[in-house]
Amino acid sequence: MSNKEIENIYPLSPMQFGLLFQALYAPTSDAYFGQRIFELEGDVNVDVLQATWQKVSDHHPILRTGFIWEGLETPLQYVLETTQVPFIMLDWTGLTGDEQQERFDAYIQEDRQKGFDLSQAPLSRVALIRCSQDKHYMLWSLHHILTDGWCLPILLGDVFKAYTALQQGIEPQLTPRRPYRDYIAWLQKQDMVQAETFWKDYLSSVEEPTRLSFKDLIEPNEKDYEIYSLELSFKETEHLKRFAQENGLTLNTVIQGAVGLVLKTYTGQAEPVMGVTVSGRNIDLSGAEEMVGLLINTLPLKISSQPKDNILSFLTRLQDHAQKLNEYAYTPLAQIQSWTNINRSLFDVTFSFQNYPIEENGSLNKNNLKIKDAKALEKTEYPLTIIVGSRGQLHIKLYYQMQHFDEAMIKRMAGHIHQMLQEILHSQEGEKIKNKEFSSSASNHSIQTLSFLTSPEKQQLLI
């Protein structure tokens, strides 16, 4: 790599720094190696698709980015003027459906094991696999150090736009975006002294890390990582949305509160801490919402409650704390942890509420490239990562390391989170009845009366 090939060079964001540290600390780990799997229907023009990905890479500097750290006091990221997108085409039309699926599953694992060398741009690649004339799989592998989930609809939108234009023999006109380097420049101007004062004060009451692991209680398992999904009904989803709206809360806060109360019971800690992922987009930098790059950060959130708290006072305080954290979301997590007396990882559980501004797939299918199905595969370094999706029905996914949990434990925990959400709704309904009949204050109904035990568990305990 010569200087002539480099378009730009600048420091890392807080989250990028953390992910680079993780990659160097555990070089054989596939944490934060992201795979997006798309099942495409209809005929696919392979040459056009390859040219499409190249156009998108040429348009977005972050897709031409690599990282350097050898011999440097502080790591840097560089952007190449141009780089060839690795694109591979595989034809499996001669195999049966079962053979295709078996080979595809194996290929996904091989791709994960291959990983990326973070010092060598580009840190993404595409594989197109033909199963029949009208069925293809497109595997897009990308390291999380480059982008976050917010970027996905932006990049996919550009892929569809470029593919449609190139199919028609037209030069794609992709929307200009504010470059990621401007966000890095914005970070350099933030007040770290003020941030240090805030975080030291906020975490001063935290005496120990919040650990959640059942490593000593479970049987060894060959698999290292698994996902469990919980989907709420449309009716439950609407009730929770209405509850949040009527009480000046976000849906994020309500679910975060339910998870926090379950974590509080599981750990037995008076004030447990969990990591919460913030978008980092709500900042005084025009164009940040449309920027392609990694702006998210993970921050420690205390689950604080008072003895006389009812559910509304508890959730309101939680929301106030979360909003205050957002003011200092530019602070690297490693830096925050170094300012505590603990000086190591504060939590085992992270929580992310995903509400990206993305159109439904149906609108994308109006293009020449049609997606029939899509899914994502990515691991984190934490024992348990809880991700909530809010489109249509609420779904809660628990990504867990199998050295710390087994399926039965995670299924039970998901049931407890579900039950706590029900308790939150029912307690509010109870308060309305009490206030109507007896003019009783809602503050008299303590959160300590809430129980996450499901009906079968209550039956088992009592009878």
Side-chain angles (χ1 to χ4, degrees):
M1 179 174 61
S2 68
N3 291 337
K4 292 181 180 178
E5 296 172 334
I6 297 177
E7 180 180 284
N8 222 312
I9 189 164
Y10 42 83
L12 279 61
S13 72
M15 192 71 169
Q16 284 183 314
F17 188 88
L19 296 188
L20 177 60
F21 175 82
Q22 169 64 21
L24 297 178
Y25 177 76
T28 60
S29 170
D30 60 350
Y32 304 109
F33 178 90
Q35 291 170 307
R36 302 287 186 270
I37 301 166
F38 305 94
E39 184 181 336
L40 307 178
E41 62 179 3
D43 194 22
V44 176
N45 188 319
V46 180
D47 293 336
V48 169
L49 185 61
Q50 183 171 6
T52 292
W53 280 104
Q54 190 61 50
K55 290 286 184 185
V56 173
S57 174
D58 292 342
H59 184 68
H60 294 286
I62 200 69
L63 297 181
R64 293 177 269 118
T65 296
F67 299 82
I68 48 177
W69 58 87
E70 294 285 354
L72 298 178
E73 192 171 320
T74 304
L76 296 169
Q77 57 188 313
Y78 65 88
V79 181
L80 296 179
E81 292 177 352
T82 185
T83 184
Q84 191 71 31
V85 178
F87 186 97
I88 186 170
M89 170 67 193
L90 300 170
D91 190 334
W92 294 348
T93 52
L95 303 177
T96 66
D98 289 342
E99 289 172 335
Q100 288 174 348
Q101 189 60 56
E102 186 178 339
R103 184 171 291 191
F104 189 47
D105 291 341
Y107 185 81
I108 289 172
Q109 293 307 313
E110 289 169 13
D111 183 56
R112 294 196 71 81
Q113 290 169 10
K114 184 178 176 184
F116 288 111
D117 176 355
L118 297 186
S119 69
Q120 300 295 319
L123 301 178
S124 68
R125 55 178 173 262
V126 179
L128 183 69
I129 298 155
R130 174 172 287 157
C131 296
S132 67
Q133 183 64 29
D134 57 358
K135 178 184 176 181
H136 295 74
Y137 284 117
M138 181 171 69
L139 176 62
W140 176 28
S141 302
L142 179 79
H143 200 283
H144 192 24
I145 199 169
L146 297 184
T147 65
D148 51 38
W150 195 282
C151 305
L152 181 62
I154 297 173
L155 291 170
L156 270 184
D158 281 353
V159 168
F160 279 98
K161 190 174 183 179
Y163 184 87
T164 301
L166 290 172
Q167 273 280 73
Q168 299 169 358
I170 303 170
E171 182 64 26
Q173 300 298 316
L174 302 181
T175 305
R177 313 278 179 183
R178 188 160 193 166
Y180 188 60
R181 67 171 184 267
D182 288 0
Y183 170 66
I184 300 297
W186 177 86
L187 281 174
Q188 305 301 306
K189 298 175 184 176
Q190 302 314 299
D191 191 338
M192 291 302 292
V193 175
Q194 192 174 353
E196 181 178 359
T197 301
F198 167 77
W199 286 111
K200 281 184 173 179
D201 179 64
Y202 177 69
L203 296 171
S204 61
S205 61
V206 178
E207 298 178 349
E208 59 180 349
T210 300
R211 297 285 171 251
L212 187 64
S213 172
F214 298 94
K215 187 182 292 187
D216 298 333
L217 301 177
I218 58 178
E219 296 293 329
N221 196 301
E222 290 183 4
K223 296 183 72 174
D224 65 333
Y225 207 81
E226 195 53 84
I227 305 170
Y228 181 83
S229 296
L230 167 68
E231 187 171 70
L232 277 64
S233 68
F234 281 112
K235 187 177 180 180
E236 288 174 313
T237 300
E238 286 307 308
H239 283 176
L240 285 167
K241 286 180 178 178
R242 187 162 60 246
F243 169 83
Q245 190 174 20
E246 288 177 353
N247 293 290
L249 301 166
T250 65
L251 191 57
N252 178 17
T253 297
V254 176
I255 303 171
Q256 201 173 72
V259 171
L261 289 174
V262 171
L263 182 64
K264 191 178 174 72
T265 305
Y266 268 57
T267 62
Q269 289 179 268
E271 196 175 53
V273 176
M274 69 178 177
V276 291
T277 302
V278 294
S279 72
R281 305 269 169 173
N282 188 24
I283 57 177
D284 56 341
L285 181 67
S286 63
E289 289 194 351
E290 299 295 321
M291 192 176 285
V292 176
L294 187 69
L295 275 72
I296 64 168
N297 197 8
T298 300
L299 304 172
L301 176 68
K302 295 189 300 184
I303 310 301
S304 302
S305 63
Q306 306 294 336
K308 293 184 179 181
D309 266 345
N310 70 354
I311 193 61
L312 288 183
S313 61
F314 165 72
L315 291 175
T316 300
R317 184 184 304 105
L318 188 68
Q319 182 162 285
D320 290 344
H321 282 184
Q323 289 174 346
K324 191 66 177 175
L325 261 57
N326 261 312
E327 295 178 27
Y328 302 95
Y330 55 81
T331 320
L333 178 59
Q335 185 70 71
I336 294 171
Q337 291 175 161
S338 73
W339 289 331
T340 68
N341 295 325
I342 300 167
N343 200 20
R344 57 194 174 100
S345 180
L346 293 169
F347 45 80
D348 280 351
V349 180
T350 64
F351 177 93
S352 176
F353 186 89
Q354 298 184 342
N355 191 22
Y356 309 134
I358 182 173
E359 298 179 1
E360 296 290 349
N361 281 347
S363 63
L364 296 176
N365 287 344
K366 295 175 184 176
N367 296 273
N368 291 349
L369 202 60
K370 295 181 173 62
I371 292 180
K372 182 179 179 182
D373 190 26
K375 65 178 180 179
L377 298 175
E378 187 173 317
K379 304 175 184 178
T380 75
E381 67 191 275
Y382 295 99
L384 177 61
T385 298
I386 300 173
I387 298 180
V388 181
S390 64
R391 301 197 63 80
Q393 293 170 255
L394 272 170
H395 55 267
I396 303 172
K397 292 188 176 182
L398 289 78
Y399 295 71
Y400 61 99
Q401 293 181 358
M402 299 199 73
Q403 62 172 314
H404 296 286
F405 307 93
D406 61 22
E407 185 181 5
M409 288 173 173
I410 289 295
K411 187 176 181 179
R412 193 177 305 123
M413 187 185 298
H416 291 157
I417 293 170
H418 191 191
Q419 182 63 31
M420 187 59 77
L421 288 169
Q422 295 298 320
E423 288 281 301
I424 288 172
L425 290 176
H426 293 158
S427 69
Q428 179 67 358
E429 289 170 6
E431 291 301 339
K432 287 180 179 178
I433 293 170
K434 284 203 306 182
N435 288 337
K436 196 172 182 180
E437 294 181 356
F438 308 110
S439 300
S440 172
S441 168
S443 63
N444 292 332
H445 193 88
S446 171
I447 61 168
Q448 294 178 358
T449 64
L450 301 179
S451 171
F452 65 40
L453 292 177
T454 61
S455 295
E457 287 173 331
K458 288 179 182 176
Q459 178 86 357
Q460 185 179 6
L461 282 172
L462 297 174
I463 300 174

